[in-house]
C-alpha cells in the first residue's frame, strides 16, 4: 500500500451539515443550492416525465393528435368567424390561419405548462408527503410534457408554411433561444400556483377560465395593438412579447417590438426567482400541516 493510498484512507470524509429549512433563505447561496438540486434530480425528472406521458396516452385512440387539436379548433373557428365577418378582425400580414396558428403554438406552450404545472403537486400528493425528493421535479416533468406537445405543433406549423408556399425567415433558428425565457416564465408561474393549489383546490377549477381569458388578452387571433392605450397589452401581458417575437422570427427576420421582448424577459426571470422562493416556502409549510 503506497503513501497516497494511506493518506486517502486516513483522511476524514467531507463533512456535510444538514439543517432544517436550509433552502428557505433569501440569499444567492440558497438559489444556487436549489438549482444544483434540480440538476441532480434530472434522472428523476426524466422518469416522472415518462410516467406522466405513458399515463396520459394510455387507452387513448387519437394519441399525439390531442397535442394539436386545440390549436386546430382555434384556427378553424376564428378563420370562419373572420371570413364571415361575424367577428371582424384587422388585416394581418400573413394568411390569417397561419397568423392564428403561430400565435396558438406559443400560447399553448404557456397555457399547457401552467395548467399541468399547477396540478403537478396535487396529482402526486402521496409521493410529496412520504418521500424526500426535490418537489420541483414534479413541476419540471410536467413542463417537459408541454415542451413535447410544442415540438409536435411545430410539425403542423411547418405543414401550413408549405401549404401557403411561404419560406420561413432565417431567424427561425433563433426560436429555441426565444423559448428559454418563456419556459422560465411558465415554470415560475407553475411554481407559484402548485402550492397554492395544494391549499385551495378552487385554483384547479379557476384555471381554465383564467387561461381562456388570457388567450384573448394575447395577440393570438388578432394583430398586436400599436396605438395607445391598447399597446399596453403587449407589456401588461407577459406572454404577448413572446407571441409577437415568435411570429417576427419565423416570418419577418426582425423584431418589431424589441422593447416589449426585453421587458418580457425581465419579467420571466423575476417570476422564476419568485416562484422558486414561493414554492420552497409553500411546500415546506403544507407538508408540516399534513
Amino acid at each position: 500500500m503506497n503513501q497516497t493510498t494511506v493518506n486517502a484512507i486516513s483522511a476524514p470524509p467531507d463533512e456535510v451539515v444538514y439543517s432544517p429549512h436550509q433552502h428557505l433563505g433569501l440569499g444567492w447561496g440558497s438559489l444556487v443550492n436549489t438549482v444544483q438540486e434540480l440538476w441532480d434530480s434530472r434522472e428523476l425528472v426524466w422518469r416522472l416525465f415518462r410516467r406522466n406521458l405513458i399515463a396520459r396516452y394510455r387507452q387513448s385512440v387519437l394519441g399525439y393528435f390531442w397535442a394539436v387539436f386545440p390549436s386546430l379548433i382555434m384556427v378553424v373557428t376564428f378563420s370562419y368567424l373572420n371570413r364571415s365577418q361575424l367577428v371582424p378582425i384587422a388585416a394581418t400580414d400573413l394568411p390569417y390561419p397561419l397568423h392564428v396558428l403561430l400565435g396558438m403554438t406559443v400560447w399553448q406552450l404557456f397555457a399547457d405548462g401552467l395548467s399541468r404545472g399547477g396540478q403537478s403537486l396535487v396529482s402526486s400528493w402521496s409521493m410529496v408527503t412520504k418521500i424526500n425528493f426535490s418537489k420541483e421535479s414534479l413541476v419540471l416533468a410536467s413542463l417537459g410534457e408541454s415542451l413535447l406537445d410544442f415540438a409536435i405543433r411545430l410539425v403542423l406549423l411547418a405543414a401550413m408554411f408549405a401549404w401557403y408556399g411561404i419560406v420561413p425567415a432565417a431567424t427561425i433558428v433563433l426560436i429555441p433561444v426565444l423559448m428559454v425565457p418563456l419556459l422560465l416564465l411558465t415554470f415560475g408561474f407553475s411554481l407559484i400556483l402548485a402550492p397554492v393549489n395544494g391549499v385551495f383546490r378552487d385554483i384547479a377549477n379557476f384555471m381554465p377560465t383564467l387561461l381562456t381569458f388570457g388567450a384573448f388578452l394575447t395577440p393570438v387571433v388578432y394583430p398586436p395593438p400599436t396605438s395607445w392605450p391598447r399597446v399596453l397589452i403587449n407589456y401588461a401581458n407577459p406572454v404577448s412579447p413572446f407571441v409577437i417575437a415568435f411570429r417576427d422570427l419565423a416570418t419577418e427576420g426582425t423584431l418589431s417590438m424589441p422593447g416589449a421582448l426585453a421587458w418580457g424577459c425581465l419579467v420571466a426571470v423575476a417570476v422564476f426567482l419568485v416562484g422558486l422562493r414561493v414554492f420552497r416556502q409553500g411546500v415546506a409549510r403544507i407538508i408540516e400541516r399534513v
Side-chain angles (χ1 to χ4, degrees):
M1 184 178 297
N2 57 36
Q3 188 60 38
T4 304
T5 305
V6 172
N7 292 338
I9 294 175
S10 60
D14 293 338
E15 184 179 1
V16 179
V17 179
Y18 294 96
S19 61
H21 310 311
Q22 61 178 345
H23 297 298
L24 300 185
L26 297 175
W28 177 254
S30 177
L31 174 63
V32 172
N33 286 336
T34 302
V35 174
Q36 181 63 46
E37 192 172 302
L38 278 176
W39 173 252
D40 294 340
S41 304
R42 57 190 182 280
E43 183 175 352
L44 174 63
V45 172
W46 169 248
R47 290 182 181 278
L48 290 170
F49 166 74
R50 288 190 59 190
R51 181 203 66 171
N52 296 344
L53 201 63
I54 292 171
R56 179 179 163 195
Y57 289 115
R58 183 181 298 158
Q59 297 180 329
S60 173
V61 177
L62 298 180
Y64 292 108
F65 175 74
W66 292 112
V68 299
F69 182 71
S71 299
L72 281 176
I73 287 293
M74 187 70 99
V75 168
V76 171
T77 302
F78 275 90
S79 295
Y80 169 74
L81 293 175
N82 185 36
R83 178 173 294 184
S84 62
Q85 290 298 299
L86 290 173
V87 179
I89 296 173
T92 56
D93 295 332
L94 297 168
Y96 185 71
L98 180 58
H99 175 91
V100 176
L101 186 59
L102 281 165
M104 280 299 298
T105 301
V106 180
W107 171 256
Q108 281 298 124
L109 173 61
F110 172 77
D112 289 349
L114 190 61
S115 180
R116 292 185 181 126
Q119 287 288 329
S120 59
L121 206 59
V122 172
S123 60
S124 301
W125 196 245
S126 58
M127 287 177 57
V128 172
T129 54
K130 296 176 182 175
I131 304 174
N132 183 25
F133 68 104
S134 173
K135 311 301 184 296
E136 290 90 344
S137 303
L138 295 168
V139 184
L140 206 53
S142 66
L143 189 59
E145 291 180 72
S146 304
L147 203 53
L148 175 64
D149 289 350
F150 174 76
I152 295 172
R153 283 192 289 272
L154 289 182
V155 177
L156 177 64
L157 197 55
M160 189 165 282
F161 267 99
W163 175 266
Y164 284 105
I166 296 176
V167 178
T171 49
I172 198 171
V173 298
L174 297 176
I175 281 178
V177 179
L178 176 69
M179 292 298 101
V180 172
L182 179 60
L183 291 174
L184 282 181
L185 180 73
T186 310
F187 188 42
F189 274 130
S190 299
L191 289 173
I192 294 171
L193 277 179
V196 176
N197 188 39
V199 178
F200 305 104
R201 302 301 169 88
D202 309 82
I203 297 295
N205 297 321
F206 181 61
M207 280 303 296
T209 304
L210 179 65
L211 290 174
T212 302
F213 184 67
F216 290 109
L217 287 180
T218 308
V220 171
V221 299
Y222 52 84
T226 55
S227 59
W228 182 265
R230 289 181 296 176
V231 70
L232 290 177
I233 199 172
N234 301 323
Y235 294 86
N237 183 346
V239 186
S240 294
F242 299 104
V243 172
I244 298 168
F246 185 80
R247 283 200 192 99
D248 291 341
L249 292 178
T251 60
E252 300 295 333
T254 57
L255 294 174
S256 59
M257 296 185 180
L261 180 59
W263 170 250
C265 291
L266 287 175
V267 172
V269 172
V271 170
F272 170 68
L273 294 176
V274 171
L276 281 179
R277 182 58 46 213
V278 169
F279 188 86
R280 287 280 175 166
Q281 299 276 355
V283 171
R285 281 159 176 73
I286 291 172
I287 293 176
E288 285 174 358
R289 292 183 179 181
V290 176

